[in-house]
């Protein structure tokens, strides 16, 4: 980028001056940023929707977009470098990790990460769409639309988008289609404003719907005998069945595709479709890898054709394909598209149009600055240490390995873990009692009272659910309940790609074990509680806020200027007079406010709107991020640590996922809750040892108490009296329950389990099951029938889906389970009772099982 002669002379004078090298670099960087911003062009200059269909015009337009993106990326990189050097001086490695997945460090912007930005963008895209659907009383229709109605909605959406005559006579269908198309267009335009090049197309949001499991099993999905399909011998798939499924998919989709628009000047259609097929099967279409890789981008860059749009002849043709190979109903498809777009927007907002390349530039620039300051750069010497976190935020960790058996291994391993979820987490909601103490500790961290936090959490649970108006306010804040957009099993593991059948089974299970209700109620309540708390401070300037709240806001880059805008713009009252922050109201902030926030006066119309959205997302992101501190879920950092960025289907990837099953929750407690308090103990300007120790102490004490309450509830359901609270083993078990290990329940702490099996359980439930099965076989071979029966029964009963539901398990045991145990291993119930008495000074409340159950 050329510079003016004046700025060039200034730069040369600085280079020749006696300033220290590090000071020279700082001055030069700031001047370069100013020059770039002065020369910055914007995407308003490129009307993507009017670009000629001629390839030469597309190339010209793309070149112009590339230049604009290059300038914007350079500004972003330089600003991020300076921010990280200023805020993470002496801990630059942590700063780079924070940029991707956040940090507990007590420094400005420590939580303003890619991961938080993605969650916020997803929540706000869904919230804006939901609000309009609900306001028009169309949510019932959208929820229950059958196949015929879904097809009519898709057709109407296309007709509205392309200015055709609308043929439906149903005004509700027309209105819903208008809303869907409106938000689809807003999403496409938001991506284009951030550097993508997506031409106008009807239903952009739903057009990226492909179920990788159905695509991989195309022959079966289409009801064809795979043995009868003839694969093209010239294709280079991984195996013959893979090629046959591709052939079945290709033959099906070709009848619906608009060939001219899809393939353009492509010479080899089979190769184009094979690239697309590989991308869909590997779930690579979901990866957020920059502006040129955004779904539908018209970039002419080679190598990304597998992400180009598969254009269908009409909405009717698209629906015919979506019925067979889409992600679900039209509602599920639409939400899936919004979530994917939100993940891309969060990435683009934080790391620009070339995320990986820009992150690497930032890493190298910081390393060079450290060298210039004669400091060690060993901690930044390799990108690989950051790759595991990048793989989570860009979605690579959710793709499949391309090896011959990778897809099958990933699929069946995920199903195996799903079986473990629905077989072993039946009492998870009882173990979740520890959430109350964690909830209170988060509210205390923000400057509220610990007891007030407990009261708020208990009050939320006691209400069962909030009023409709308050639920709508929570949605507006970005809250996404479990269901179409959320999988509750993520509380306990890092998540798996499951087909629709097993996803539905898991959702049903977590509904029946009440964990969905518990988690959603507390999360929704935490967001409303925080929004109300902030609203109650609206008459205070930033400097008048209590110190904990000031520091907390700083983690999300909210300063005095931003707080003034929030408190004057984003407030609204519920019908009971309670006041809340209302994120949607931030849409009404003035252009002058945006210019204050950015410090820039020459923003275009598109840039002003984009900066408004980014500010809304940042406030929503703060609330969403803290809701999963109050009600623990693994964030991007926990997921990166647990998966190490490995892909599903690989040996290492699957081993890590099996070992990590059920451990995401306790690890998240360590990373988020304990890490949050430990941050006060670190040396630095924000060190507060007293506060850190008090925070840790309160968490330990309350979690131990809630752990005991959880154990007691479980024991009562089993007909046992409470354990002796003065017993050391009881105290230790209570702390383990309250500290996040309660989910292991029967896996780790069954009275009849062998010591070796308990050790295996620490590795994961899968090794435990394998050892139990091995023990059963071993005892059978050595003629120890009783022990063999006991091990076999334990293995089978602990892996039957839904049997572990807390209100079913106790009834099953008393009706038949104890009889089976005594039959398999006579005297086992008596031994269990003795061990209970010895270890916990505990007995059964009613008749002892050993007296009533003598076996069949």
């Amino acid at each position: 980028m050329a510079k003016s002669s004046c700025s060039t002379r200034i730069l040369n004078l600085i280079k020749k001056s006696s300033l220290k090298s590090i000071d020279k670099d700082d001055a030069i960087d700031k001047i370069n940023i100013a020059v770039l911003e002065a020369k910055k062009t914007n995407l308003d200059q490129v009307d993507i929707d009017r670009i000629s269909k001629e390839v030469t015009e597309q190339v010209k337009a793309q070149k112009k977009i590339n230049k604009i993106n290059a300038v914007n990326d350079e500004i972003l990189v330089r600003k991020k470098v300076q921010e990280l050097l200023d805020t993470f001086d002496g801990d630059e490695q942590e700063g780079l990790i924070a940029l991707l997945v956040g940090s507990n460090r007590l420094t400005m912007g420590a939580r303003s990460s890619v991961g938080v930005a993605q969650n916020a963008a997803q929540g706000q895209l869904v919230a804006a769409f939901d609000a309009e659907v609900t306001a028009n009383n169309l949510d019932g229709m959208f929820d229950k639309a059958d196949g015929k109605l879904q097809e009519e909605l898709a057709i109407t959406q296309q007709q509205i988008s392309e200015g055709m005559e609308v043929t439906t006579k149903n005004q509700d269908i027309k209105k819903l289609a208008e809303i869907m198309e409106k938000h689809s267009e807003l999403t496409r335009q938001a991506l284009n404003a951030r550097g993508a090049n997506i031409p106008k197309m009807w239903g952009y949001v739903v057009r990226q719907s492909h179920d990788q499991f159905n695509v991989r099993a195309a022959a079966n999905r289409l009801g064809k005998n795979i043995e009868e399909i003839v694969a093209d011998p010239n294709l280079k798939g991984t195996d013959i069945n893979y090629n046959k499924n591709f052939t079945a998919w290709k033959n099906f989709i070709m009848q619906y595709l608009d060939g001219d628009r899809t393939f353009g000047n492509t010479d080899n259609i089979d190769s184009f479709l094979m690239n697309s097929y590989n991308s869909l099967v590997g779930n690579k279409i979901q990866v957020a890898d920059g502006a040129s890789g955004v779904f539908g981008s018209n970039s002419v860059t080679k190598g990304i054709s597998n992400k180009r749009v598969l254009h269908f002849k009409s909405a009717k043709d698209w629906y015919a394909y979506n019925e067979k190979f889409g992600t679900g109903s039209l509602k599920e498809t639409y939400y899936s598209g919004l979530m994917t777009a939100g993940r891309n927007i969060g990435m683009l907002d934080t790391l620009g149009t070339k995320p990986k390349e820009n992150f690497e530039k930032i890493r190298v620039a910081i390393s060079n600055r450290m060298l210039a300051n004669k400091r060690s750069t060993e901690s930044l010497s390799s990108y690989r240490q950051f790759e595991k976190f990048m793989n989570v935020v860009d979605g690579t960790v959710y793709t499949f390995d391309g090896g011959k058996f990778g897809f099958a291994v990933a699929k069946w391993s995920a199903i195996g873990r799903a079986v473990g979820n629905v077989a072993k987490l039946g009492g998870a909601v009882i173990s979740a009692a520890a959430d109350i103490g964690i909830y209170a500790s988060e509210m205390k961290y923000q400057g509220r009272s610990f007891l007030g936090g407990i009261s708020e959490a208990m009050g939320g649970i006691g209400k069962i659910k909030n009023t409709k108006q308050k639920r709508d306010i929570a949605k507006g804040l970005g809250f996404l309940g479990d269901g179409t957009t959320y999988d509750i099993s993520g509380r306990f593991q890092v998540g798996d790609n499951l087909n629709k059948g097993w996803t539905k089974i898991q959702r049903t299970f977590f509904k029946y074990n009440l964990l969905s209700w518990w988690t959603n109620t507390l999360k929704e309540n935490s967001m409303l509680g925080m929004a109300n708390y902030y609203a109650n401070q609206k008459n205070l300037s930033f400097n008048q806020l209590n110190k904990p709240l000031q520091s907390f806001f700083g983690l999300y880059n909210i300063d005095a200027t931003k707080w003034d805008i929030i408190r004057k713009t984003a407030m609204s009252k519920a019908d009971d007079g309670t006041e809340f922050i209302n994120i949607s109201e931030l849409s009404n902030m003035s252009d002058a406010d945006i210019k204050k926030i950015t410090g820039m006066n020459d923003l275009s119309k598109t840039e002003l709107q984009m900066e408004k959205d980014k500010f809304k997302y940042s406030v929503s992101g703060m609330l969403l991020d803290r809701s999963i501190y109050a009600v623990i879920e693994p964030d991007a950092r926990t997921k990166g640590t647990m998966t190490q960025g490995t892909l599903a289907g690989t040996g290492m990837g699957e081993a890590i996922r099996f070992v990590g099953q059920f451990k995401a929750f306790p690890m998240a407690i360590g990373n988020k809750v304990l890490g949050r308090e430990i941050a006060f103990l670190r040396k630095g300007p924000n060190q507060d040892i007293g506060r850190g120790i008090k925070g840790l102490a309160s968490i330990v004490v309350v979690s131990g108490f809630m752990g005991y309450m959880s154990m007691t509830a479980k024991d009562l359901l089993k007909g046992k009296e409470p354990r002796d609270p003065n017993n050391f083993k009881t105290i230790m078990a209570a702390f383990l329950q309250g500290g996040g290990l309660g989910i292991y329940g029967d896996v780790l702490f069954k009275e009849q389990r062998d010591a070796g099996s308990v050790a295996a359980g620490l590795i994961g439930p899968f090794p435990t099951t394998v050892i139990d099965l091995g023990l059963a076989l071993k005892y059978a071979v050595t003629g120890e029938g009783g022990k063999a029966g006991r091990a076999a029964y334990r293995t089978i009963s602990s892996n039957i889906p839904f049997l572990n539901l807390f209100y079913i398990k106790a009834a099953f045991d008393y009706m038949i389970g104890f009889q089976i145990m005594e039959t398999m291993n006579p005297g086992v119930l008596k031994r269990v009772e003795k061990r209970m008495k010895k270890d916990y000074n505990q007995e059964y409340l009613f008749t002892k099982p050993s007296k009533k159950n003598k076996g069949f």
Side-chain angles (χ1 to χ4, degrees):
M1 183 69 67
K3 301 181 180 70
S4 68
S5 58
C6 179
S7 62
T8 301
R9 285 197 301 274
I10 293 172
L11 291 171
N12 288 335
L13 285 171
I14 290 173
K15 290 176 182 177
K16 295 176 182 178
S17 72
S18 60
L19 289 171
K20 295 179 181 178
S21 177
I22 192 74
D23 295 330
K24 290 179 184 178
D25 288 343
D26 283 340
I28 290 170
D29 271 356
K30 287 171 182 174
I31 291 173
N32 283 338
I33 290 171
V35 171
L36 283 168
E37 289 180 341
K39 288 182 168 289
K40 187 164 71 77
T41 53
N42 61 71
L43 287 165
D44 284 359
Q45 298 176 6
V46 184
D47 190 343
I48 293 169
D49 295 348
R50 294 185 181 180
I51 293 173
S52 166
K53 292 184 180 180
E54 293 295 324
V55 174
T56 54
E57 292 301 313
Q58 292 178 11
V59 171
K60 289 179 183 178
Q62 187 63 53
K63 285 182 176 179
K64 191 165 190 177
I65 290 171
N66 289 346
K67 288 182 179 179
I68 294 168
N69 288 346
V71 171
N72 289 336
D73 282 352
E74 184 67 16
I75 294 171
L76 181 146
V77 166
R78 289 176 180 271
K79 284 186 173 179
K80 292 295 182 186
V81 168
Q82 196 62 53
E83 286 173 5
L84 293 179
L85 288 171
D86 289 342
T87 57
F88 284 90
D89 183 29
D91 200 2
E92 289 80 3
Q93 180 184 26
E94 181 67 14
L96 286 166
I97 295 173
L99 178 59
L100 295 175
V101 293
S103 171
N104 283 315
R105 297 292 195 273
L106 301 171
T107 188
M108 195 72 175
R111 296 298 304 172
S112 294
S113 66
V114 175
V116 170
Q118 288 176 320
N119 290 339
Q122 290 175 327
Q124 285 304 305
L125 289 177
V126 172
F129 171 73
D130 269 355
E132 196 160 354
V133 170
T134 301
N136 286 276
N137 297 315
L138 296 170
D139 39 345
M141 171 189 281
F142 197 42
D143 286 340
K144 299 174 183 178
D146 58 16
K148 183 178 179 181
L149 181 55
Q150 291 178 42
E151 182 180 39
E152 192 169 357
L153 276 168
I155 291 171
T156 307
Q157 201 177 341
Q158 181 186 15
Q159 291 170 341
I160 291 168
S161 175
E162 297 181 355
M164 301 161 60
E165 180 184 356
V166 176
T167 55
T168 184
K169 303 301 181 185
N170 187 321
Q171 292 304 303
D172 284 343
I173 290 177
K174 181 181 177 182
K175 184 62 180 178
L176 181 54
E178 286 174 348
I179 295 170
M180 291 173 69
E181 185 57 26
K182 170 188 171 182
H183 286 272
S184 187
E185 266 297 281
L186 288 173
T187 301
R188 182 184 70 88
Q189 291 166 8
L191 288 165
N192 280 345
R194 289 159 172 81
N197 178 9
I198 308 166
K200 185 173 174 59
M201 62 181 79
W202 77 269
Y204 170 74
V205 164
V206 297
R207 298 283 280 277
Q208 44 195 311
S209 167
H210 304 271
D211 184 301
Q212 66 266 36
F213 298 99
N214 287 339
V215 173
R216 177 63 178 85
N220 180 63
R221 183 65 179 162
L222 296 170
K224 296 182 179 295
N225 185 342
I226 196 167
E227 301 300 327
E228 298 175 359
I229 298 173
V230 178
D232 186 336
N234 295 319
L235 295 178
K236 297 179 179 179
T238 55
D239 59 41
I240 187 64
N241 282 339
Y242 188 94
N243 282 340
K244 286 184 175 183
N245 276 304
F246 164 69
T247 301
W249 175 83
K250 179 190 73 173
N251 292 340
F252 178 81
I253 199 173
M254 280 297 291
Q255 62 187 311
Y256 300 111
L257 287 178
D258 181 333
D260 290 340
R261 294 181 66 204
T262 300
F263 305 120
N265 295 327
T266 301
D267 295 328
N268 191 331
I269 291 176
D270 280 345
S271 177
F272 180 99
L273 287 175
M274 177 56 89
N275 284 335
S276 296
Y277 185 79
N278 290 339
S279 178
L280 299 179
V281 169
N283 206 31
K284 294 179 176 62
I285 195 171
Q286 303 294 333
V287 175
D289 52 1
S292 64
V294 167
F295 180 85
S297 176
N298 213 15
S299 172
V300 293
T301 305
K302 292 182 179 180
I304 64 161
S305 59
N306 57 349
K307 275 201 173 184
R308 290 182 187 174
V309 178
L310 296 169
H311 290 281
F312 293 88
K313 296 173 184 175
S314 67
K316 190 178 183 70
D317 292 292
W318 168 82
Y319 186 75
Y321 173 83
N322 192 63
E323 265 198 313
K324 292 292 184 184
F325 297 108
T327 54
S329 67
L330 190 62
K331 178 180 179 179
E332 291 173 318
T333 298
Y334 198 87
Y335 281 162
S336 175
L338 289 176
M339 298 292 278
T340 300
R343 192 162 55 252
N344 276 296
I345 286 172
M347 179 69 87
L348 293 167
D349 280 348
T350 313
L351 283 178
T353 65
K354 294 181 178 180
K356 288 185 178 179
E357 184 177 319
N358 289 341
F359 181 82
E360 183 64 358
K361 285 182 179 179
I362 294 167
R363 183 185 70 82
V364 171
I366 290 175
S367 181
N368 289 340
R369 191 68 64 86
M370 291 168 68
L371 276 174
N373 204 25
K374 297 182 180 179
R375 288 180 50 207
S376 172
T377 62
E378 185 177 350
S379 63
L380 306 183
S381 61
S382 171
Y383 167 74
R384 293 193 65 180
Q385 61 183 308
F386 306 106
E387 188 175 21
K388 59 178 176 270
F389 301 118
M390 178 65 81
N391 283 355
V392 171
V393 295
D394 76 0
T396 298
V397 76
Y398 300 111
T399 62
F400 296 111
D401 172 65
K404 185 173 182 179
F405 302 109
F407 184 90
V409 169
K411 174 184 175 181
W412 291 107
S413 295
I415 290 174
R417 289 188 287 273
V419 170
N421 288 339
V422 299
K424 300 181 186 298
L425 293 176
V429 72
I430 301 173
S431 298
D435 285 347
I436 303 297
I438 293 170
Y439 185 111
S441 73
E442 172 58 28
M443 300 309 144
K444 172 67 175 175
Y445 179 76
Q446 296 184 31
R448 302 167 66 186
S449 75
F450 194 93
L451 291 177
I454 290 178
S455 175
E456 181 177 281
M458 297 294 287
I461 293 295
K463 282 187 294 188
I464 307 298
K465 66 178 182 178
N466 286 302
T467 63
K468 182 180 183 302
Q469 187 188 34
K470 287 185 179 179
R471 294 200 305 272
D472 288 342
I473 290 172
K475 285 182 181 179
L477 296 173
F479 170 71
L480 300 177
D482 124 81
T484 305
T485 59
Y486 178 65
D487 187 357
I488 198 73
S489 65
R491 285 203 72 183
F492 300 112
Q493 59 192 67
V494 295
D496 275 315
N497 284 319
L498 284 170
N499 60 28
K500 285 182 285 188
W502 274 100
T503 298
K504 185 176 181 180
I505 288 170
Q506 284 203 137
R507 287 177 181 161
T508 301
F509 174 78
F510 287 113
K511 177 182 178 181
Y512 287 163
N513 81 347
L514 302 184
L515 191 63
S516 290
W517 162 76
W518 174 276
T519 300
N520 289 331
T521 299
L522 278 179
K523 281 184 65 179
E524 182 180 75
N525 215 60
S526 72
M527 293 190 73
L528 289 171
M530 288 185 286
N532 172 240
Y533 172 52
Y534 306 153
N536 289 339
Q537 317 300 313
K538 70 176 185 179
N539 293 324
L540 301 178
S541 68
F542 190 84
N543 290 332
Q544 291 174 320
L545 297 173
N546 63 63
K547 292 300 181 183
L549 187 57
Q550 287 184 40
S551 300
F552 169 76
F553 280 158
L555 299 178
Y556 297 88
N557 278 323
I558 293 178
D559 55 16
T561 300
K562 292 178 180 178
W563 171 242
D564 283 343
I565 293 169
I566 292 170
R567 67 193 184 106
K568 80 175 184 182
T569 308
M571 304 293 166
S572 63
K573 289 184 178 181
D575 45 14
D576 63 358
T578 307
E579 196 161 21
F580 298 93
I581 279 183
N582 188 336
I583 302 296
S584 62
E585 291 297 322
L586 288 175
S587 298
N588 300 321
M589 70 178 110
S590 68
D591 292 351
D593 285 338
I594 292 298
K595 290 174 182 177
K596 285 180 185 176
I597 291 172
T598 62
M600 298 172 65
N601 294 314
D602 60 343
L603 295 172
S604 69
K605 181 179 178 181
T606 299
E607 288 171 329
L608 282 167
Q609 183 58 53
M610 183 172 67
E611 292 298 334
K612 281 185 183 180
D613 288 344
K614 286 167 70 173
F615 185 54
K616 282 173 58 179
Y617 295 165
S618 69
V619 180
S620 174
M622 175 179 67
L623 289 159
L624 283 167
D625 190 40
R626 299 324 288 196
S627 75
I628 61 174
Y629 269 78
V631 187
I632 289 296
E633 286 179 19
D635 58 4
R637 185 167 187 145
T638 303
K639 292 176 181 178
T641 301
M642 293 194 67
T643 63
Q644 291 296 299
T646 57
L647 272 60
T650 62
M652 182 59 71
E654 292 304 328
I656 286 175
R657 284 162 173 79
F658 273 114
V659 170
Q661 189 173 16
F662 302 160
K663 292 185 177 63
F665 184 62
M667 182 172 282
I669 288 179
N671 284 346
K672 295 159 76 76
V673 181
L674 300 182
R676 180 192 65 202
E677 304 302 330
I678 289 171
F680 288 108
L681 307 180
R682 296 180 182 278
K683 290 183 179 180
N686 296 308
Q687 186 184 48
D688 189 339
I689 295 175
R691 182 178 174 185
I693 292 174
K694 287 179 183 177
L696 288 170
S698 62
I699 292 168
V700 170
V701 171
V702 175
S703 293
F705 174 76
M706 297 308 297
Y708 180 76
M709 296 299 292
S710 172
M711 288 194 313
T712 300
K714 287 181 180 180
D715 285 339
L716 291 173
L717 284 168
K718 295 173 184 177
K720 301 176 182 179
E721 66 180 21
R723 303 185 195 190
D724 181 0
N726 296 315
N727 185 297
F728 178 75
K729 288 186 177 181
T730 299
I731 294 171
M732 292 305 298
F735 281 124
L736 288 173
Q737 287 276 331
L741 290 180
I743 55 169
Y744 283 107
D746 293 337
V747 179
L748 287 181
F749 300 111
K750 273 189 176 177
E751 287 85 348
Q752 68 269 31
R753 182 166 298 285
D754 297 327
S757 297
V758 173
L762 292 170
I763 301 174
F766 181 73
T768 304
T769 300
V770 170
I771 285 181
D772 280 347
L773 184 59
L775 285 172
L777 293 173
K778 172 192 170 185
Y779 293 141
V781 169
T782 58
E784 299 175 86
K787 289 184 177 180
R790 180 182 64 181
Y793 172 73
R794 185 168 62 219
T795 304
I796 294 170
S797 64
S798 65
N799 285 285
I800 297 176
F802 289 79
L803 181 61
N804 192 244
L805 287 169
F806 64 90
Y807 48 84
I808 292 177
K809 185 66 169 68
F812 172 82
D813 283 341
Y814 276 95
M815 291 173 63
I816 191 172
F818 290 147
Q819 286 281 53
I820 295 174
M821 288 170 63
E822 195 66 25
T823 301
M824 293 286 191
N825 190 8
V828 67
L829 296 176
K830 191 71 175 175
R831 291 193 293 275
V832 167
E833 290 164 4
K834 286 183 177 179
R835 184 172 175 184
M836 284 169 50
K837 183 67 176 175
K838 177 184 176 183
D839 288 349
Y840 301 111
N841 193 25
Q842 181 185 34
E843 295 183 350
Y844 279 91
L845 286 169
F846 309 108
T847 304
K848 293 182 179 181
S850 61
K851 292 183 178 181
K852 285 272 188 177
N853 300 279
K854 303 300 181 181
F856 293 113

